[in-house]
Amino acid sequence: MSTPAEATTTKRRVDAPLSPPWSQQGLLEVFSHRYILTLLVRREIAARYQSSVLGLVWSYVNPMSQFFIYYFVMGILFGRAQRTEAFAVHVFTGLIIVHFFTETMNAGTRSIVRNKALVQKMAVPREMFPVASMLVSLFHVVPQLMILLLATWIAGWHPDPYGIVIGVIGLLISMTLGTALALMFSAANVFLRDVSNAVNVLTNFVRFGVPMMYPYTLVAQRFGGHTTIYLLNPISEAVLDFQRAFWVGATSNPAHTAAMDMPPGLLWLSLRALLISLVVLAFAQSTFTRLERRIPERLL
Amino acid sequence: MKRQDDRSIVVRHVSKTFTLRYHRTIKQMSVAMLRQQELSNSFLAVNDVSFTVRQGESIGLMGLNGSGKSTLLKMINGIMRPDSGKVLTRGRIAGLIATGAGFHPQLTGRDNVYLNAAILGMTEAETRRKFDSIVEFADIGRFLDSPVGHYSSGMFARLGFAVAIHVDADIFLADEVLAVGDRPFKKKCLAKMQEIRSSGTTLFYVSHAPGSVRKMCDRLLVLEKGTLGFDGPVDEGIKYLRYDDDDDSDDPELNEESMDEELGADI
Ligand SMILES: Nc1ncnc2c1ncn2[C@@H]1O[C@H](COP(=O)(O)OP(=O)(O)OP(=O)(O)O)[C@@H](O)[C@H]1O
Ligand SMILES: [Mg+2]
């Protein structure tokens, strides 16, 4: 073997075409690399709370503590719990969406920088990393939904088909918009680390800018007639959708609650929100594609 | 017999510009602006490089530190894109660019093997089939299930090389893979690379050691500050580099050194 005579070298025939070595980029390309995506998601779930005693439990402690704070401050201290029926359910449904969305955005923003070892190793669609962050956050939604279902079932909730449909749309909205922002910020964060700080600020806006700690009726009353801007934020619709799906059915008179506390034409508003999210996603993809070329050389 | 296109790598007029310094804070930027400095100064790390490699050729790539070897390799395996020019490759590429890159320090050796193999294009079944062989080659013993961050740099490199070498690649890139390995491991790696070479895989080997390049390669490229200074037979290229000045010396100490060079030690 140490005498590599020309003669012993076998001729290898490669049938693949001569093509550029870089990987096809783009969101759709991510799903043709499903195996890597699964590994990334699995490892992210495992790594997120590594070397902590409570481990995965932390991903419940965090939203649960938020829930109790909101419930206590808004519900008890500001007295919303008396005025809004099933206020705990109201807060918790909103929190599921908000927490999923902000987690996607925050973890997504850091995803490429965190995975720089892999980014610099081989040519893979780099959209993979923010998408994996979104899927990890989605994974954590499942047990929260379980808790919600249990709680609403005890409160006497009856699922209705319309509610289910609109709940799914709500989740789709937050998935789409979450992925879009994660995509955009993950690339931007490579160039400017300020981005992850800006995202923290944005997270606070999201928490207070959607009808989670307060009912939508309050917004409609205070800004009477000027709710357009409020409803332009797709996450508002996502939260309302989830509340339509779970909270409305848990109140004593669902039909009355739906008429009183939901904006009229919620289905259309939601479809519009989904469309807005898709447009943002398209914009995010084009931004990502533009920035992506220079990502490997800017990662330290 | 029909003549078949056996080009494996085509590099045409490839250039890559890097920015020397990225101004990161507003303060720095405004200070630079006030002093009327240019905000960024760029330089060509790879400058108009062209060559073609046929399938099965074994190419050595040499040049001083900072001459653009790693950058060129990164463009060949598609991590970086050239600013101008064209890179074309045929088939599956595997390899190791800069020692041990691509491991997640928090993950165990085992998980890293799976993740790395996947990134290099191996399927789950393929990885499982080759797993024992990979572990045996890396020979890191009971550290397999401890986090890679706690590995010694040699162990890190061993595992990285073991994964890369088990990909059934058509093109294999090796950038200073042997820099931190111990002597037995270097021997093993060189033997393995010879094996790969004789299986008809295109080999791209970056090293500062003329001895190992001489053994391993049948053609040498020399980069000089980003431009391709030499492309031809290995011996001639090493003369061109003037790396072999003291190779024939009788000095025992230097002989010792040239022994090491044969094993691919880096100077
Ligand atoms: N991401 C980057 N941003 C800015 N400059 C870079 C970057 N990567 C490399 N360079 C510069 O490009 C030049 C070539 O680097 P490269 O790593 O290709 O050298 P090399 O030939 O591999 O050197 P060595 O023998 O030390 O491995 C160096 O001057 C280096 O500082
Ligand atoms: Mg290098």
Side-chain angles (χ1 to χ4, degrees):
Chain A
M1 65 199 171
S2 51
T3 46
E6 283 290 315
T8 59
T9 305
T10 43
K11 206 74 178 151
R12 186 189 184 106
R13 268 197 55 186
V14 184
D15 291 324
L18 209 54
S19 58
W22 36 87
S23 169
Q24 284 289 316
Q25 304 280 332
L27 274 176
L28 293 180
E29 198 58 31
V30 170
F31 295 96
S32 59
H33 290 73
R34 269 190 305 271
Y35 172 50
I36 309 181
L37 191 63
T38 347
L39 285 182
L40 279 180
V41 170
R42 234 188 275 161
R43 104 97 208 273
E44 188 89 351
I45 290 171
R48 205 174 266 194
Y49 298 102
Q50 215 183 24
S51 66
S52 70
V53 183
L54 287 181
L56 266 183
V57 173
W58 278 114
S59 52
Y60 304 109
V61 172
N62 184 7
M64 285 321 279
S65 65
Q66 278 184 48
F67 168 73
F68 284 116
I69 291 167
Y70 298 153
Y71 186 78
F72 183 77
V73 174
M74 301 314 248
I76 314 281
L77 213 57
F78 285 86
R80 283 254 57 99
Q82 278 117 49
R83 273 169 281 172
T84 306
E85 236 186 300
F87 186 66
V89 178
H90 184 277
V91 173
F92 194 63
T93 39
L95 190 63
I96 291 179
I97 290 286
V98 168
H99 195 256
F100 164 65
F101 179 75
T102 52
E103 275 294 287
T104 303
M105 200 163 65
N106 277 306
T109 302
R110 282 175 274 117
S111 61
I112 289 184
V113 174
R114 264 172 56 88
N115 285 295
K116 57 180 172 229
L118 292 179
V119 173
Q120 285 167 315
K121 171 94 183 167
M122 263 289 138
V124 288
R126 302 196 177 101
E127 285 86 351
M128 190 96 79
F129 303 103
V131 169
S133 298
M134 189 274 284
L135 292 176
V136 172
S137 308
L138 193 61
F139 169 86
H140 290 308
V141 165
V142 176
Q144 292 170 21
L145 265 183
M146 295 296 185
I147 298 172
L148 178 68
L149 283 175
L150 191 71
T152 44
W153 180 69
I154 291 170
W157 173 65
H158 300 288
D160 59 317
Y162 175 71
I164 305 280
V165 169
I166 214 154
V168 170
I169 296 178
L171 195 58
L172 282 178
I173 293 172
S174 49
M175 281 168 72
T176 314
L177 196 66
T179 309
L181 297 186
L183 203 59
M184 202 148 51
F185 295 149
S186 66
N189 194 39
V190 173
F191 298 88
L192 287 172
R193 298 294 148 87
D194 310 50
V195 172
S196 51
N197 292 317
V199 168
N200 278 336
V201 177
L202 191 59
T203 303
N204 272 331
F205 275 104
V206 172
R207 285 205 184 113
F208 288 92
V210 300
M212 168 174 68
M213 313 173 199
Y214 49 84
Y216 174 73
T217 19
L218 209 60
V219 182
Q221 282 163 13
R222 291 288 148 80
F223 305 118
H226 301 289
T227 50
T228 329
I229 291 175
Y230 190 85
L231 289 174
L232 265 181
N233 169 14
I235 296 303
S236 292
E237 267 89 351
V239 167
L240 285 168
D241 288 346
F242 240 51
Q243 282 163 350
R244 173 63 190 80
F246 297 103
W247 171 67
V248 165
T251 56
S252 54
N253 187 351
H256 180 254
T257 314
M260 287 304 293
D261 289 315
M262 293 284 128
L266 183 60
L267 183 62
W268 293 115
L269 282 174
S270 308
L271 290 176
R272 186 188 69 173
L274 190 56
L275 191 71
I276 293 176
S277 308
L278 286 170
V279 170
V280 177
L281 185 63
F283 174 74
Q285 172 72 77
S286 83
T287 311
F288 190 89
T289 307
R290 208 147 29 81
L291 295 177
E292 175 265 331
R293 283 175 146 265
R294 290 209 166 257
I295 284 179
E297 62 202 67
R298 293 295 293 267
L299 281 172
L300 282 181
Chain B
M1 212 176 80
K2 214 178 90 186
R3 206 170 151 273
Q4 203 211 342
D5 179 13
D6 67 346
R7 287 177 302 167
S8 176
I9 303 172
V10 176
V11 173
R12 285 257 168 285
H13 301 295
V14 163
S15 296
K16 180 78 194 173
T17 310
F18 282 134
T19 309
L20 215 47
R21 178 150 182 249
Y22 308 103
H23 289 260
R24 281 193 185 265
T25 65
I26 288 188
K27 189 180 155 201
Q28 282 171 346
M29 275 199 275
S30 38
V31 166
M33 217 113 78
L34 280 177
R35 292 188 188 151
Q36 308 218 311
Q37 289 171 342
E38 36 183 344
L39 270 184
S40 65
N41 22 17
S42 53
F43 73 102
L44 277 165
V46 172
N47 186 0
D48 194 25
V49 169
S50 302
F51 58 87
T52 304
V53 179
R54 310 211 159 274
Q55 183 64 46
E57 262 188 297
S58 174
I59 311 287
L61 181 58
M62 297 181 84
L64 300 176
N65 294 139
S67 53
K69 304 180 295 296
S70 301
T71 309
L72 182 61
L73 249 55
K74 280 177 190 162
M75 289 190 285
I76 290 175
N77 88 344
I79 301 173
M80 283 184 183
R81 294 192 195 199
D83 292 326
S84 64
K86 201 162 71 173
V87 179
L88 295 172
T89 57
R90 192 194 306 276
R92 200 192 236 185
I93 310 176
L96 216 53
I97 295 184
T99 325
F103 281 148
H104 205 281
Q106 286 177 349
L107 283 186
T108 65
R110 184 185 300 276
D111 292 343
N112 265 307
V113 167
Y114 273 93
L115 197 56
N116 248 263
I119 294 272
L120 289 171
M122 274 159 82
T123 63
E124 190 169 10
E126 204 179 344
T127 316
R128 216 173 273 141
R129 193 150 29 80
K130 292 176 178 166
F131 189 80
D132 289 337
S133 171
I134 292 174
V135 171
E136 197 196 307
F137 190 91
D139 194 22
I140 48 167
R142 61 210 166 84
F143 290 98
L144 184 64
D145 286 308
S146 53
V148 165
H150 294 164
Y151 283 19
S152 74
S153 37
M155 286 159 61
F156 206 83
R158 276 161 175 267
L159 198 60
F161 189 79
V163 178
I165 207 93
H166 279 82
V167 180
D168 185 24
D170 304 307
I171 300 171
F172 189 81
L173 311 174
D175 185 0
E176 296 181 51
V177 276
L178 307 177
V180 290
D182 55 22
R183 208 177 171 104
F185 188 68
K186 276 178 187 167
K187 268 191 182 146
K188 197 153 87 168
C189 288
L190 286 174
K192 193 77 189 181
M193 283 205 282
Q194 290 289 8
E195 204 178 288
I196 281 191
R197 179 188 176 195
S198 55
S199 75
T201 298
T202 307
L203 189 68
F204 228 103
Y205 179 55
V206 176
S207 172
H208 294 291
S212 64
V213 173
R214 218 177 252 141
K215 273 194 172 174
M216 191 64 65
C217 308
D218 30 54
R219 181 176 156 197
L220 183 64
L221 306 180
V222 175
L223 279 180
E224 284 174 325
K225 292 190 181 134
T227 55
L228 190 60
F230 177 89
D231 178 358
V234 177
D235 283 325
E236 234 173 87
I238 290 172
K239 280 211 188 72
Y240 175 88
L241 265 171
R242 289 200 254 172
Y243 267 21
D244 62 347
D245 277 358
D246 24 47
D247 245 16
D248 306 320
S249 151
D250 294 321
D251 194 326
E253 214 172 283
L254 283 170
N255 267 342
E256 175 86 4
E257 209 170 78
S258 62
M259 256 294 270
D260 277 337
E261 281 175 8
E262 291 196 358
L263 288 170
D266 284 69
I267 300 170

